[in-house]
PDB file of all heavy atoms in Angstrom:
ATOM      1  N   HIS P 230       9.840 -19.973   9.295  1.00 98.00           N
ATOM      2  CA  HIS P 230       8.407 -19.755   9.667  1.00 98.00           C
ATOM      3  C   HIS P 230       7.487 -20.514   8.589  1.00 98.00           C
ATOM      4  O   HIS P 230       6.894 -19.826   7.777  1.00 98.00           O
ATOM      5  CB  HIS P 230       8.089 -18.225   9.608  1.00 98.00           C
ATOM      6  CG  HIS P 230       8.859 -17.411  10.628  1.00 98.00           C
ATOM      7  ND1 HIS P 230      10.074 -16.897  10.344  1.00 98.00           N
ATOM      8  CD2 HIS P 230       8.481 -17.007  11.871  1.00 98.00           C
ATOM      9  CE1 HIS P 230      10.501 -16.266  11.430  1.00 98.00           C
ATOM     10  NE2 HIS P 230       9.586 -16.282  12.413  1.00 98.00           N
ATOM     11  N   PRO P 231       7.409 -21.795   8.737  1.00 98.00           N
ATOM     12  CA  PRO P 231       6.651 -22.627   7.771  1.00 98.00           C
ATOM     13  C   PRO P 231       5.186 -22.203   7.758  1.00 98.00           C
ATOM     14  O   PRO P 231       4.427 -22.542   6.702  1.00 98.00           O
ATOM     15  CB  PRO P 231       6.883 -24.053   8.152  1.00 98.00           C
ATOM     16  CG  PRO P 231       7.510 -23.999   9.533  1.00 98.00           C
ATOM     17  CD  PRO P 231       8.102 -22.662   9.696  1.00 98.00           C
ATOM     18  N   ASP P 232       4.589 -21.576   8.762  1.00 98.00           N
ATOM     19  CA  ASP P 232       3.271 -21.273   8.782  1.00 98.00           C
ATOM     20  C   ASP P 232       2.915 -19.818   8.185  1.00 98.00           C
ATOM     21  O   ASP P 232       1.827 -19.308   8.148  1.00 98.00           O
ATOM     22  CB  ASP P 232       2.643 -21.269  10.205  1.00 98.00           C
ATOM     23  CG  ASP P 232       3.508 -20.426  11.172  1.00 98.00           C
ATOM     24  OD1 ASP P 232       4.754 -20.272  10.956  1.00 98.00           O
ATOM     25  OD2 ASP P 232       2.940 -19.930  12.247  1.00 98.00           O
ATOM     26  N   TYR P 233       4.040 -19.168   7.726  1.00 98.00           N
ATOM     27  CA  TYR P 233       3.820 -17.836   7.177  1.00 98.00           C
ATOM     28  C   TYR P 233       3.503 -17.919   5.724  1.00 98.00           C
ATOM     29  O   TYR P 233       3.875 -18.890   4.985  1.00 98.00           O
ATOM     30  CB  TYR P 233       5.066 -16.992   7.293  1.00 98.00           C
ATOM     31  CG  TYR P 233       5.273 -16.344   8.624  1.00 98.00           C
ATOM     32  CD1 TYR P 233       4.705 -16.844   9.824  1.00 98.00           C
ATOM     33  CD2 TYR P 233       6.135 -15.204   8.826  1.00 98.00           C
ATOM     34  CE1 TYR P 233       4.924 -16.240  11.027  1.00 98.00           C
ATOM     35  CE2 TYR P 233       6.317 -14.603  10.083  1.00 98.00           C
ATOM     36  CZ  TYR P 233       5.691 -15.166  11.127  1.00 98.00           C
ATOM     37  OH  TYR P 233       5.867 -14.494  12.375  1.00 98.00           O
ATOM     38  N   HIS P 234       2.841 -16.820   5.150  1.00 98.00           N
ATOM     39  CA  HIS P 234       2.537 -16.776   3.655  1.00 98.00           C
ATOM     40  C   HIS P 234       3.794 -16.901   2.823  1.00 98.00           C
ATOM     41  O   HIS P 234       3.781 -17.690   1.878  1.00 98.00           O
ATOM     42  CB  HIS P 234       1.793 -15.429   3.520  1.00 98.00           C
ATOM     43  CG  HIS P 234       1.432 -15.185   2.077  1.00 98.00           C
ATOM     44  ND1 HIS P 234       0.375 -15.788   1.436  1.00 98.00           N
ATOM     45  CD2 HIS P 234       1.907 -14.269   1.108  1.00 98.00           C
ATOM     46  CE1 HIS P 234       0.254 -15.375   0.163  1.00 98.00           C
ATOM     47  NE2 HIS P 234       1.161 -14.419  -0.002  1.00 98.00           N
ATOM     48  N   CYS P 235       4.803 -16.017   3.105  1.00 98.00           N
ATOM     49  CA  CYS P 235       6.084 -16.155   2.353  1.00 98.00           C
ATOM     50  C   CYS P 235       6.029 -16.310   0.910  1.00 98.00           C
ATOM     51  O   CYS P 235       6.572 -17.182   0.276  1.00 98.00           O
ATOM     52  CB  CYS P 235       6.958 -17.254   3.004  1.00 98.00           C
ATOM     53  SG  CYS P 235       7.451 -16.889   4.647  1.00 98.00           S
ATOM     54  N   ALA P 236       5.228 -15.362   0.235  1.00 98.00           N
ATOM     55  CA  ALA P 236       5.090 -15.285  -1.133  1.00 98.00           C
ATOM     56  C   ALA P 236       4.626 -13.871  -1.514  1.00 98.00           C
ATOM     57  O   ALA P 236       4.337 -13.154  -0.608  1.00 98.00           O
ATOM     58  CB  ALA P 236       4.001 -16.327  -1.590  1.00 98.00           C
ATOM     59  N   PRO P 237       4.577 -13.601  -2.794  1.00 98.00           N
ATOM     60  CA  PRO P 237       3.990 -12.246  -3.158  1.00 98.00           C
ATOM     61  C   PRO P 237       2.645 -12.061  -2.509  1.00 98.00           C
ATOM     62  O   PRO P 237       1.888 -12.976  -2.519  1.00 98.00           O
ATOM     63  CB  PRO P 237       3.924 -12.282  -4.635  1.00 98.00           C
ATOM     64  CG  PRO P 237       4.984 -13.240  -5.126  1.00 98.00           C
ATOM     65  CD  PRO P 237       5.040 -14.344  -3.965  1.00 98.00           C
ATOM     66  N   VAL P 238       2.381 -10.900  -1.928  1.00 98.00           N
ATOM     67  CA  VAL P 238       1.115 -10.629  -1.251  1.00 98.00           C
ATOM     68  C   VAL P 238       0.222  -9.937  -2.249  1.00 98.00           C
ATOM     69  O   VAL P 238       0.558  -8.872  -2.796  1.00 98.00           O
ATOM     70  CB  VAL P 238       1.301  -9.719  -0.044  1.00 98.00           C
ATOM     71  CG1 VAL P 238      -0.049  -9.314   0.567  1.00 98.00           C
ATOM     72  CG2 VAL P 238       2.142 -10.474   1.018  1.00 98.00           C
ATOM     73  N   PRO P 239      -0.945 -10.546  -2.513  1.00 98.00           N
ATOM     74  CA  PRO P 239      -1.882  -9.925  -3.501  1.00 98.00           C
ATOM     75  C   PRO P 239      -2.542  -8.670  -3.030  1.00 98.00           C
ATOM     76  O   PRO P 239      -2.716  -8.465  -1.848  1.00 98.00           O
ATOM     77  CB  PRO P 239      -2.940 -11.050  -3.718  1.00 98.00           C
ATOM     78  CG  PRO P 239      -2.925 -11.738  -2.404  1.00 98.00           C
ATOM     79  CD  PRO P 239      -1.472 -11.708  -1.888  1.00 98.00           C
ATOM     80  N   PRO P 240      -2.941  -7.781  -3.960  1.00 98.00           N
ATOM     81  CA  PRO P 240      -3.843  -6.634  -3.585  1.00 98.00           C
ATOM     82  C   PRO P 240      -5.099  -7.173  -2.924  1.00 98.00           C
ATOM     83  O   PRO P 240      -5.511  -8.334  -3.204  1.00 98.00           O
ATOM     84  CB  PRO P 240      -4.177  -5.937  -4.951  1.00 98.00           C
ATOM     85  CG  PRO P 240      -3.148  -6.474  -5.894  1.00 98.00           C
ATOM     86  CD  PRO P 240      -2.759  -7.883  -5.457  1.00 98.00           C
ATOM     87  N   PHE P 241      -5.712  -6.379  -2.007  1.00 98.00           N
ATOM     88  CA  PHE P 241      -6.797  -6.803  -1.319  1.00 98.00           C
ATOM     89  C   PHE P 241      -7.899  -5.734  -1.409  1.00 98.00           C
ATOM     90  O   PHE P 241      -7.643  -4.511  -1.229  1.00 98.00           O
ATOM     91  CB  PHE P 241      -6.460  -7.000   0.173  1.00 98.00           C
ATOM     92  CG  PHE P 241      -7.638  -7.161   1.046  1.00 98.00           C
ATOM     93  CD1 PHE P 241      -8.556  -8.299   0.904  1.00 98.00           C
ATOM     94  CD2 PHE P 241      -7.885  -6.208   2.122  1.00 98.00           C
ATOM     95  CE1 PHE P 241      -9.604  -8.455   1.717  1.00 98.00           C
ATOM     96  CE2 PHE P 241      -8.991  -6.437   2.921  1.00 98.00           C
ATOM     97  CZ  PHE P 241      -9.844  -7.554   2.748  1.00 98.00           C
ATOM     98  N   GLY P 242      -9.183  -6.201  -1.661  1.00 98.00           N
ATOM     99  CA  GLY P 242     -10.307  -5.228  -1.652  1.00 98.00           C
ATOM    100  C   GLY P 242     -11.145  -5.357  -2.886  1.00 98.00           C
ATOM    101  O   GLY P 242     -11.166  -6.350  -3.626  1.00 98.00           O
ATOM    102  N   ASP P 243     -11.825  -4.242  -3.151  1.00 97.00           N
ATOM    103  CA  ASP P 243     -12.855  -4.133  -4.189  1.00 97.00           C
ATOM    104  C   ASP P 243     -12.167  -4.007  -5.566  1.00 97.00           C
ATOM    105  O   ASP P 243     -11.425  -3.058  -5.816  1.00 97.00           O
ATOM    106  CB  ASP P 243     -13.619  -2.904  -3.926  1.00 97.00           C
ATOM    107  CG  ASP P 243     -14.849  -2.734  -4.834  1.00 97.00           C
ATOM    108  OD1 ASP P 243     -14.891  -3.338  -5.983  1.00 97.00           O
ATOM    109  OD2 ASP P 243     -15.636  -1.758  -4.553  1.00 97.00           O
TER     110      ASP P 243
END
Side-chain angles (χ1 to χ4, degrees):
H230 297 85
D232 53 332
Y233 278 25
H234 177 73
C235 289
V238 174
F241 169 62
D243 182 350

